[in-house]
Amino acid sequence: MRNGEKIMPVNVFTTVSDSALCQKCPALLAYKIHKGFKNAWKIGIKGNGAAYGTIFHNEIARVFFEAASNPSSSLYPEISCCLAGNSNSLEALIRENIFLPFVEAKSKNLDSKQITSMAEGVTVWVDAMSEFFALIPSLAVSPEKIMPSVFIKPEQKLQAVYEYNSDSRLIITGCYDALLFNPDRGEARLFEFKSYMKSDISVPLSQSLIYSWLIRGHTGITPSVEIIYLAENGKEPDVFSSSCVDGMIESGLAELFGSVFEVIYLRKVPDFLRDLNLCRQCPFNEFCIDDWRS
Amino acid sequence: MQDNELILEQLRNNNPFASSYSPMPFENMTPDIAQLNRDASEEIEQLIRHKRREPNVPLAGLVFGAAGIGKTHMMTRILRKLRRNSWPAIFVTIRAFTNPKRVTHELFSEILICLNKQHSGGRSQFDVIAEGMMTAYNENRKSDGFNNISSIDRKIYLRRDMPGIDKNFLKCLLMYLDSESEAEKFEIIEWLRDGLDDEDANRLGLPVRDIELMDEAECERSAKNLLASLGIVLSYAHMPMIICFDELDSIRDKELIQAWGDTIAFIINHIDGILPLCFVKPETWETFKPVINISILQRLRNNTIIMNGTCSPASARQIIHDRIANAFSEGAEEKYQWLISRMGDILTPGLSPRMVIELANKAIKTDLTSENFVKEIYDEEFKKIQNEPSAWPPNSSQLTLALEVWLKSLDGFDLKKGDGKYIKFFGTHGTRHFAFIVLTAKGHSTVNAALKSGISFMKGHPESQCFYITEAKTHKTSWKQVNETLSSFTGLGGTALILDKDKRVSWYALTALINRVDNGDVNVYSSSKPRPASRDDIRDFVKTLRLIEADPLKSKHTDEQKFLSVLSKLISSSPMKILAADKALELMSQNGIIADRNELTAFVKKYSSHFKTFNSNNDILITLNDKE
């Protein structure tokens, strides 16, 4: 109470992606939120010149995970058969039932580089999935029984609250790419697919940590994290164990959320360690200090 | 104590004298003898300091020195010193010129190749210039009193700061700075260097700039304009650019010497921020003098620098000692003593550093004949080009030079210069007539016209064959009209030789070898005394190269089964078993099957039970028909 007036709690809303942008550079988040610079996330990212991330999520990964998590879907029996090792490989199944039908329907609106790059990305993704499934022996024995415990509906929206102080809260919302469970080991794994090249790990990692934090809040289980770079055929994905994820959540997220709150609500860019390589590629290089001087 | 055989084997396996040719100063890691050419390097440093202080003062340096005298080592020393003093200076070396009508264009193209080369840290000199421009811009705006510089239009203020700058040049620099895509950055540099076709230029929002379509005067005007704009930016950013002309000794043609002189005059008199350094042998300069404008001669003569880097026996031994110590961490002294005693009294006063290195190489490789010595140099160039293809972008003049020297090496092949715009050479071999088109044009209309000239030649000469030689990098398989003309061309027996990234290397390696020979950088040791090699000395080696297969028509697919099997395998091994037609043609040519797009489309249609196609917005995608 101040002057007898009731203080209303402050609710600041943000997304997981914006929080990860803040991890990359708080000034970039400020430019995005307060100056409308929507492409802030692209700064410093190296792609292979054929952007296809959204199409991959919507047209390939989501279709597969939805079919695998829904026993009444037409593809469910084939996936089950494939996981039991009684039919074509997972790659052939996805190629024939998801990838080629997608190409047939949408190729006229895409250029060939996008399609062939996506084909490479799908191969990387399928390899990562296959490796995960190989660690669940019961899946090959009785897929029909085990599949519901492995696949959960993909890309679910989760929300959680971070208390900035007694009367200010940051409400974070996000939609992860894929979460799979290994019932044989009692583990969960969060997959994040990135269509850009592997450069600064801190951004996709912080994004995955926030998702893991959201998942832990909803399920009580901290997943391990696997970040897959679709444009990096041949490079190992980054994998972080569940205990490692727990440790990183405890040590880093509070400070990050504090920065996000300050940037969005207080329009203040906290002091941070500059990544000179990123600054060199940034159109606001050398102006940001003046633009966001507290 | 190691025995002699073991020392020899170790030196052969890790030969410190395998290459006597220094790379660009930036990459030169071989040991240097600081006392060699000390006076010359100090004089050049003074020139650079002067240019930095007063970019508008017309300055140039004429540096006399024999081949292999240590130019690159000297420049390395100078650049290191500049860096130690935190003086930003841009440095480019220019290879031999080939076309007297387009010397400024060739010069600007060479400058961009050097500027675009990535150095340690992944940055190029072009990055340094662009960033330097923005630093100067920010400083200016701060002194104008702007607090929020990001809110103002950079383009307007930069044009105000740099009057006379070409607006497209500035646009390119700003786009380059803003771009996050390496592919786009490459295209921006390509537009400046050699132009782009309509489609690529439009995508970048730049006007069409097709060098092959421009007449010579227009091409030179455009290059001068861009060069002048580069000079404006360099002055603005307080960065002098040193241009080293170090293959001038290979220029023999009077017209070319005159054209080079005119370009140098243009740089000295009209461009700020650029310091030309002309490295030449005194005897070559005597042939230049009667042809070059007197005022330029005077200007160059004012700053004549003489390199006197011949080695005393002591410094020759020092070179050998340091190179061995650089290559071996253990037993270096023993190896040095062994090699020096093996070389006997051959290290006489007056040898150039290069000769010292070559003599040491000969002492290690006792089987080194003149012929395999030439092959070693060719292999060295081959590896360099393979490792850094961007240093040799598509260049029809360089391909033409390689073709000419190769054709001349063939027995019984009579070669004449072409008479048209597109046909570079006519040839006869017995009763057969040949014509050779070499083109790296990026505009489809130029390629179409060139192919039509080949068709006319074949129609006019029974028993004739025309070769269309180009690069996969510039020849787009999506050009519809070109594909139709190409079908008629091949139908008449013409051969399209589209050089892919592997095949092109042998062509440019030959060009590099010829340039080194013409520049006097290759010695032959036919008697005890070395002498500079001539083109005749490399003829036998050149003949062994297979630039064009003896009968290229053999590589055309006559065997449908082979075509079917190769295409199926290529698709099968592609991710998701899908391949764009463009890529399929490129991969098939690497597998020895040359086909054009029409042939591929017709084939896939004919074998529809094996293949299925999808149309994308720019190509056809082919996959295997698994239902079969």
Side-chain angles (χ1 to χ4, degrees):
Chain A
M1 301 282 277
R2 198 182 296 156
N3 301 331
E5 204 180 303
K6 191 180 174 189
I7 299 172
M8 292 296 288
V10 173
N11 285 335
V12 171
F13 290 86
T14 189
T15 63
V16 175
S17 308
D18 280 355
S19 303
L21 177 62
C22 187
Q23 171 71 41
K24 185 177 186 172
C25 169
L28 279 177
L29 177 63
Y31 279 108
K32 185 191 167 190
I33 300 290
H34 302 301
K35 303 263 181 182
F37 181 55
K38 286 185 184 162
N39 286 337
W41 69 276
K42 286 186 181 172
I43 307 295
I45 279 179
K46 283 184 186 162
N48 64 355
Y52 60 85
T54 314
I55 312 172
F56 168 78
H57 283 300
N58 295 343
E59 307 284 349
I60 308 286
R62 185 188 288 168
V63 175
F64 173 76
F65 288 126
E66 274 182 353
S69 59
N70 178 7
S72 58
S73 74
S74 57
L75 206 53
Y76 193 87
E78 284 196 51
I79 296 173
S80 159
C81 208
C82 163
L83 293 175
N86 296 331
S87 66
N88 282 343
S89 65
L90 186 62
E91 183 170 328
L93 179 139
I94 286 167
R95 174 177 176 268
E96 284 156 31
N97 296 286
I98 303 176
F99 181 75
L100 288 181
F102 154 75
V103 174
E104 185 147 31
K106 303 281 171 70
S107 64
K108 280 184 184 154
N109 303 321
L110 298 168
D111 68 41
S112 57
K113 177 80 184 154
Q114 278 176 306
I115 296 169
T116 51
S117 296
M118 193 157 91
E120 280 178 38
V122 172
T123 313
V124 173
W125 169 67
V126 169
D127 285 348
M129 295 290 110
S130 303
E131 270 184 38
F132 182 78
F133 298 143
L135 297 175
I136 316 174
S138 62
L139 192 60
V141 179
S142 45
E144 294 280 357
K145 195 176 141 203
I146 301 297
M147 275 173 71
S149 346
V150 173
F151 298 98
I152 63 160
K153 207 173 173 323
E155 304 192 15
Q156 293 196 53
K157 193 181 249 186
L158 299 177
Q159 194 175 70
V161 173
Y162 166 77
E163 304 279 347
Y164 179 71
N165 58 30
S166 57
D167 46 40
S168 307
R169 309 180 328 156
L170 186 69
I171 299 166
I172 304 126
T173 310
C175 189
Y176 57 78
D177 286 348
L179 180 65
L180 297 178
F181 285 90
N182 181 337
D184 291 2
R185 295 183 175 196
E187 291 169 358
R189 180 162 290 191
L190 174 75
F191 289 89
E192 273 297 305
F193 308 113
K194 297 294 166 204
S195 62
Y196 49 78
M197 311 282 272
K198 185 174 176 174
S199 47
D200 177 10
I201 176 73
S202 70
V203 177
L205 178 59
S206 56
Q207 199 171 1
S208 303
L209 290 180
I210 305 169
Y211 285 131
S212 303
W213 174 70
L214 290 170
I215 291 163
R216 190 174 73 178
H218 279 72
T219 65
I221 298 173
T222 307
S224 58
V225 164
E226 182 161 349
I227 302 165
I228 298 166
Y229 299 90
L230 300 172
E232 300 269 28
N233 200 353
K235 278 201 186 164
E236 290 291 309
D238 289 317
V239 181
F240 301 90
S241 70
S242 163
S243 58
C244 178
V245 169
D246 263 332
M248 288 191 284
I249 289 175
E250 300 316 324
S251 64
L253 283 195
E255 193 185 339
L256 173 61
F257 289 150
S259 299
V260 176
F261 185 89
E262 285 172 16
V263 169
I264 298 177
Y265 186 66
L266 304 175
R267 300 174 78 96
K268 182 184 148 198
V269 172
D271 285 338
F272 64 102
L273 197 60
R274 274 161 211 281
D275 171 354
L276 293 181
N277 190 34
L278 180 69
C279 291
R280 220 175 277 133
Q281 300 170 57
C282 178
F284 307 108
N285 188 14
E286 296 184 19
F287 311 130
C288 60
I289 295 168
D290 290 337
D291 285 350
W292 303 106
R293 189 171 282 156
S294 47
Chain B
M1 185 75 184
Q2 291 182 326
D3 71 29
N4 293 345
E5 285 303 312
L6 187 59
I7 290 178
L8 181 59
E9 194 188 329
Q10 286 172 342
L11 283 170
R12 278 185 175 165
N13 290 341
N14 180 23
N15 186 349
F17 308 98
S19 173
S20 62
Y21 194 69
S22 296
M24 281 277 289
F26 290 118
E27 297 117 29
N28 193 358
M29 300 305 285
T30 51
D32 183 23
I33 305 289
Q35 64 265 34
L36 288 179
N37 299 305
R38 182 176 283 165
D39 293 346
S41 72
E42 278 170 8
E43 285 178 67
I44 292 174
E45 272 175 53
Q46 267 179 22
L47 276 180
I48 298 171
R49 275 200 293 271
H50 193 165
K51 193 69 188 174
R52 187 178 143 77
R53 225 172 26 242
E54 295 175 76
N56 307 339
V57 172
L59 271 183
L62 176 63
V63 190
F64 286 135
I69 202 152
K71 288 181 292 230
T72 315
H73 277 100
M74 182 181 71
M75 289 314 295
T76 307
R77 214 179 303 146
I78 294 171
L79 287 177
R80 282 197 184 136
K81 194 165 172 190
L82 288 174
R83 282 184 182 174
R84 270 201 305 276
N85 293 332
S86 301
W87 291 357
I90 304 296
F91 179 86
V92 295
T93 54
I94 307 298
R95 289 177 291 214
F97 294 100
T98 50
N99 186 343
K101 302 275 196 278
R102 295 186 181 218
V103 165
T104 320
H105 165 66
E106 286 188 0
L107 169 66
F108 190 63
S109 171
E110 286 283 304
I111 290 174
L112 281 174
I113 291 168
C114 272
L115 294 183
N116 197 30
K117 202 172 152 72
Q118 291 211 331
H119 298 284
S120 53
R123 288 171 84 226
S124 67
Q125 294 195 94
F126 200 83
D127 289 316
V128 174
I129 295 173
E131 287 160 14
M133 176 182 82
M134 290 316 293
T135 305
Y137 163 83
N138 288 334
E139 279 164 10
N140 283 4
R141 295 298 75 76
K142 274 180 193 158
S143 58
D144 286 347
F146 281 103
N147 284 329
N148 186 354
I149 300 176
S150 63
S151 63
I152 57 179
D153 189 334
R154 292 176 301 179
K155 205 164 51 190
I156 291 172
Y157 282 87
L158 281 167
R159 288 180 72 177
R160 198 190 67 177
D161 286 355
M162 297 184 283
I165 191 166
D166 179 89
K167 67 175 186 195
N168 285 318
F169 184 84
L170 179 59
K171 189 174 181 180
C172 283
L173 270 173
L174 292 175
M175 274 166 52
Y176 183 92
L177 277 165
D178 292 343
S179 178
E180 288 152 22
S181 149
E182 289 304 317
E184 188 175 275
K185 284 184 175 181
F186 172 78
E187 285 194 329
I188 294 166
I189 300 280
E190 272 304 284
W191 184 88
L192 288 168
R193 192 187 70 77
D194 207 24
L196 289 175
D197 76 351
D198 333 9
E199 194 188 322
D200 294 338
N202 287 340
R203 198 177 54 249
L204 289 175
L206 290 165
V208 177
R209 184 165 182 270
D210 187 344
I211 298 299
E212 301 279 348
L213 272 183
M214 290 181 187
D215 65 34
E216 281 140 357
E218 194 186 349
C219 177
E220 286 295 271
R221 251 196 321 275
S222 168
K224 280 182 177 170
N225 190 27
L226 294 174
L227 188 58
S229 295
L230 175 61
I232 292 171
V233 173
L234 289 165
S235 298
Y236 181 64
H238 307 292
M239 288 179 186
M241 180 164 85
I242 304 137
I243 300 184
C244 278
F245 293 93
D246 64 356
E247 289 194 0
L248 292 177
D249 290 303
S250 65
I251 307 183
R252 312 255 154 81
D253 179 72
K254 268 190 183 174
E255 206 187 345
L256 204 50
I257 297 171
Q258 198 163 26
W260 174 79
D262 293 345
T263 302
I264 278 289
F266 172 73
I267 295 175
I268 296 173
N269 294 331
H270 300 287
I271 302 189
D272 300 337
I274 294 183
L275 173 69
L277 290 179
C278 313
F279 290 86
V280 70
K281 287 184 208 150
E283 59 270 31
T284 307
W285 189 245
E286 289 304 311
T287 64
F288 275 43
K289 272 160 64 178
V291 190
I292 292 181
N293 180 307
I294 188 82
S295 65
I296 294 306
L297 276 181
Q298 189 59 44
R299 184 88 68 198
L300 288 168
R301 213 177 287 145
N302 287 345
N303 293 306
T304 304
I305 296 160
I306 296 167
M307 288 180 73
N308 188 16
T310 53
C311 302
S312 65
S315 51
R317 284 196 295 273
Q318 185 74 43
I319 289 175
I320 292 171
H321 178 273
D322 291 355
R323 282 215 171 202
I324 293 178
N326 197 42
F328 294 95
S329 51
E330 281 176 20
E333 190 57 35
E334 201 179 356
K335 289 181 183 69
Y336 164 71
Q337 293 296 350
W338 176 85
L339 186 59
I340 284 293
S341 80
R342 187 177 171 96
M343 289 175 79
D345 55 2
I346 204 167
L347 295 175
T348 51
L351 294 173
S352 71
R354 178 175 301 152
M355 282 178 185
V356 171
I357 294 160
E358 285 174 357
L359 288 168
N361 192 25
K362 267 181 79 73
I364 292 170
K365 292 186 165 181
T366 42
D367 55 346
L368 199 62
T369 62
S370 289
E371 225 170 273
N372 55 24
F373 183 61
V374 170
K375 185 181 180 311
E376 276 202 351
I377 294 172
Y378 171 84
D379 289 345
E380 186 189 330
E381 292 298 335
F382 190 97
K383 274 185 207 144
K384 273 199 279 184
I385 296 166
Q386 213 169 25
N387 291 337
E388 207 189 349
S390 60
W392 291 84
N395 183 319
S396 61
S397 303
Q398 289 168 344
L399 292 177
T400 306
L401 176 65
L403 179 68
E404 181 183 2
V405 172
W406 181 73
L407 289 172
K408 280 182 175 167
S409 77
L410 301 180
D411 295 327
F413 201 92
D414 188 21
L415 195 69
K416 282 186 190 133
K417 284 262 178 214
D419 57 359
K421 190 174 175 185
Y422 304 113
I423 295 181
K424 303 289 180 195
F425 303 110
F426 292 116
T428 47
H429 189 256
T431 56
R432 296 195 72 190
H433 292 267
F434 296 89
F436 298 89
I437 297 167
V438 185
L439 206 61
T440 51
K442 289 170 181 160
H444 57 89
S445 50
T446 314
V447 177
N448 210 33
L451 287 170
K452 282 184 176 166
S453 73
I455 289 171
S456 304
F457 167 78
M458 287 187 285
K459 282 183 176 168
H461 296 80
E463 271 206 79
S464 67
Q465 188 177 7
C466 182
F467 290 86
Y468 162 58
I469 297 150
T470 188
E471 288 210 38
K473 261 188 179 176
T474 55
H475 181 97
K476 285 193 177 172
T477 45
S478 56
W479 288 331
K480 279 186 186 164
Q481 215 182 350
V482 168
N483 288 330
E484 281 169 23
T485 316
L486 195 56
S487 277
S488 315
F489 178 83
T490 50
L492 283 166
T495 297
L497 203 64
I498 301 170
L499 305 173
D500 60 28
K501 66 178 175 21
D502 297 322
K503 286 197 185 118
R504 70 190 298 275
V505 182
S506 51
W507 286 68
Y508 288 105
L510 177 55
T511 304
L513 171 68
I514 298 162
N515 285 346
R516 278 176 66 173
V517 167
D518 288 352
N519 207 41
D521 289 333
V522 177
N523 289 319
V524 285
Y525 293 81
S526 47
S527 61
S528 59
K529 209 172 163 20
R531 64 168 174 81
S534 68
R535 287 194 189 185
D536 280 344
D537 291 312
I538 62 169
R539 188 170 181 266
D540 285 344
F541 166 72
V542 173
K543 202 194 298 185
T544 64
L545 300 173
R546 280 275 159 266
L547 286 196
I548 299 178
E549 293 296 322
D551 185 358
L553 285 177
K554 270 189 189 159
S555 63
K556 273 195 77 68
H557 69 95
T558 45
D559 180 353
E560 286 203 354
Q561 279 314 307
K562 189 182 173 197
F563 196 105
L564 182 63
S565 129
V566 170
L567 183 60
S568 303
K569 259 188 214 159
L570 289 172
I571 297 175
S572 230
S573 54
S574 304
M576 291 281 112
K577 296 183 188 172
I578 195 163
L579 203 51
D582 254 3
K583 188 76 186 165
L585 288 169
E586 187 191 321
L587 294 173
M588 289 191 37
S589 80
Q590 286 168 16
N591 282 275
I593 296 181
I594 311 247
D596 62 35
R597 196 185 175 76
N598 290 338
E599 286 169 320
L600 177 65
T601 318
F603 187 85
V604 168
K605 207 170 169 186
K606 182 175 174 186
Y607 286 88
S608 59
S609 57
H610 288 73
F611 305 107
K612 192 173 176 187
T613 57
F614 306 101
N615 289 322
S616 73
N617 65 14
N618 64 339
D619 202 354
I620 294 167
L621 293 144
I622 311 166
T623 187
L624 292 180
N625 197 343
D626 292 319
K627 281 168 192 144
E628 250 311 287

